[in-house]
Amino acid sequence: MSLESSIFQKIQKKIPSFLFNLFLLFSGSFLFALSNPGFIFPEGIAFLAWFAYIPVFVLVYRASLKTVWIYGFAYGVISYVLYVSWLVIFSPVGSIAIDAEYGVLLMLLFIAMKLCYILFPKKGWLASFLVFCAYEFLKTRGFAGFSYGVTAYTQWKNLILMQCADLGGVWLLSALIIFVSAWISQILIESACPAFKSETESESEKSFILQIKKSVFCHKISAVVWLSCFVFVVIYGCFVRKDYSHLPSVKVAAIQHNTDPWLSNDVDSYAKDVENLIALSNQALKQEPQIALVVWPETSFIPPIIKHYQLRRDRSRFNLVKRFLEYVESQNSVFVIGNDHQDDIHADDPEDFNSVLVFVPKKNTIPPQPEIYRKIHLVPFTESFPWPEQFPSLYQALLAGDTHLWSMGKEYKVFHQAGLSFSTPICFEDTFGDSARNMFNAGARALVNLSNDAWSKSLSCQNQHLAMARFRCIENRIPAVRSTASGQTCIIDPNGVIKVMAEPFTKTFVTGEIPVIPDDAKPTLYGIIGDLFGFLFSFAALAVLLFGIIRYTVYRKKNREYDYGS
């Protein structure tokens, strides 16, 4: 047999296996995307999340250590191209950066999972499960931390399962869901092997079914443990919710003007937006005269209010600021406004903050001396890039892409106005549990979120954001008001129930009441321990990998010594 024919036969044998691996790769990517809100199903298909990672675990098991990293990179890129397809509209460079980042992260995850299968032939699936849970937590940390895609958020419409978030954040629910894929994949892996050895199709089917029964029996203890945890979470979710109707309440209005204020850079467009916001506010106040708090979206008022009021170098912008301040001064409600703010307006290159300004009529409106919160957790690559000198080309590409890079705030501000103690996470910030927890621990007993997702022109993007916002309320048992540029503007109670929500992509508003949670309210378990479970998964995964590597090294060393002795 010639060398060429031998190689050809080997390739022929590998092609079916390669095609099956491609099937696992693409099915896993699509299951991940479809289980979350996306461009096909704006609310996602939550049920799919319980099986979404079966192709991943099977693919990692099947692939060799030499090729698994390629599948990991491809899975990461394809999954996030599908999942955050809306990002390319806002920032093509940012979209490429996120897709590439997840290609690298999933590449590393697949390698770590493969090592688990190699180092622990019998319990590799459990080690891989721990590694996957650790990945979900670790991907939300640091500068490039991104909470979008955490498995628990697929269940954002399952009010019962969501309630366990006040125990340990979203990490417990994520682990509960991921375990199902890990367990089923191991049953399939163990059951498939003997089936392929059968001589006939009927024998193969019988062998496969028998092996499934045998494999299920072998893993019955882990199944019972999972079922016990699942039952506990369901029972807990049914009974933990509280009635807050006995508490005093505050009437609020959240305005949605259905405009992306950053699409234009002329004062006429800014003025039109402000007039729309004022008109919608007037309608809300006319409908509910007792409204104590009116909330406008993130950077809904573009020209820096304090700067243009004091410097008055641009008459048209000063007139717009003056119009706004005189309007607020004539009202009885507290106004919470998203604005571009600079602390040192006389500096040649002042720090620029994405900020919230809180105005109290007759107190701090004219001249403007509002209380201010400066956004702390900025969006990577689109609001913040800390390495302009190390990566000048990427930095210039971000700037050329009309990215607005902000300075980072330093203090979690709590406002005590309108009968409430509240903090104002700005857009991206309420996607992180630790940000809302820090605000609660600083004294906030309500979250007033100002967002602008209008740039995405995507209902799925807005639902992905809303999904995370609901968990923030449950984690801390406090209500939230969300005022967004185009949706999902709503009021959420401490149980995570959406009390009222505006129609997306319309000029409208919502009004309602939120309970006044006492300042001495005790924190939830999550409020006390924070993301402890996420850290525990991470430490456990690291310990398992290190133990496996050490054991494997010692085992090989002993075998070599035995061989030499023989």
Side-chain angles (χ1 to χ4, degrees), residues 164 167 172 176 226-238:
C164 68
L167 297 175
L172 291 176
L176 199 67
W226 176 86
L227 183 61
S228 300
C229 293
F230 180 78
V231 170
F232 168 79
V233 166
V234 170
I235 293 174
Y236 183 80
C238 290

Side-chain angles (χ1 to χ4, degrees), residues 263-475:
L263 286 180
S264 59
N265 190 32
D266 63 271
V267 71
D268 290 336
S269 297
Y270 299 157
K272 183 179 179 181
D273 287 344
V274 171
E275 290 304 324
N276 284 332
L277 288 160
I278 288 175
L280 291 168
S281 300
N282 282 335
Q283 292 177 37
L285 291 166
K286 183 178 180 181
Q287 178 177 301
E288 297 283 350
Q290 301 303 315
I291 288 173
L293 195 73
V294 178
V295 189
W296 289 7
E298 175 190 15
T299 56
S300 53
F301 196 105
I302 293 290
I305 291 172
I306 296 175
K307 171 185 174 180
H308 287 289
Y309 186 88
Q310 293 186 6
L311 297 183
R312 307 189 185 190
R313 293 171 182 168
D314 185 320
R315 192 67 191 178
S316 58
R317 281 170 166 74
F318 166 73
N319 287 337
L320 181 58
V321 168
K322 183 171 178 286
R323 161 76 170 121
F324 164 73
L325 293 174
E326 289 177 346
Y327 169 73
V328 174
E329 185 73 356
S330 68
Q331 304 302 312
N332 296 318
S333 306
V334 174
F335 275 72
V336 181
I337 309 297
N339 189 225
D340 180 343
H341 172 70
Q342 299 163 354
D343 286 337
D344 187 357
I345 60 176
H346 299 285
D348 294 333
D349 186 20
E351 287 191 296
D352 206 13
F353 297 95
N354 188 349
S355 300
V356 171
L357 279 56
V358 176
F359 289 96
V360 183
K362 317 298 187 299
K363 287 187 178 181
N364 64 3
T365 306
I366 300 177
Q369 296 175 327
E371 294 183 77
I372 302 171
Y373 168 67
R374 300 158 186 82
K375 188 175 184 179
I376 294 174
H377 205 140
L378 302 172
V379 183
F381 303 110
T382 57
E383 288 187 331
S384 175
F385 186 71
W387 307 297
E389 296 179 358
Q390 292 84 352
F391 303 97
S393 298
L394 179 56
Y395 179 66
Q396 291 302 321
L398 290 172
L399 294 179
D402 198 29
T403 299
H404 194 117
L405 299 179
W406 304 90
S407 298
M408 183 184 298
K410 297 178 176 62
E411 176 189 5
Y412 287 106
K413 177 73 175 178
V414 178
F415 301 98
H416 302 279
Q417 300 293 346
L420 289 171
S421 298
F422 63 92
S423 285
T424 54
I426 301 175
C427 201
F428 188 63
E429 289 187 302
D430 74 346
T431 67
F432 295 93
D434 57 348
S435 292
R437 174 176 171 267
N438 287 335
M439 291 175 176
F440 179 92
N441 289 336
R445 296 298 179 264
L447 299 175
V448 177
N449 174 251
L450 289 70
S451 290
N452 175 18
D453 293 325
W455 47 265
S456 71
K457 300 179 176 62
S458 166
L459 180 59
S460 63
C461 171
Q462 295 175 173
N463 279 334
Q464 288 170 10
H465 195 168
L466 174 62
M468 292 178 272
R470 294 185 72 180
F471 277 88
R472 303 295 84 85
C473 294
I474 296 170
E475 287 167 349

Side-chain angles (χ1 to χ4, degrees), residues 165-169 236 242 244 437 440-441 473-478 494 521-530:
D166 71 350
L167 297 175
Y236 183 80
K242 296 180 180 179
Y244 294 89
R437 174 176 171 267
F440 179 92
N441 289 336
C473 294
I474 296 170
E475 287 167 349
N476 300 284
R477 294 300 173 186
I478 55 178
K522 294 181 180 180
T524 62
L525 179 60
Y526 175 74
I528 297 171
I529 67 173

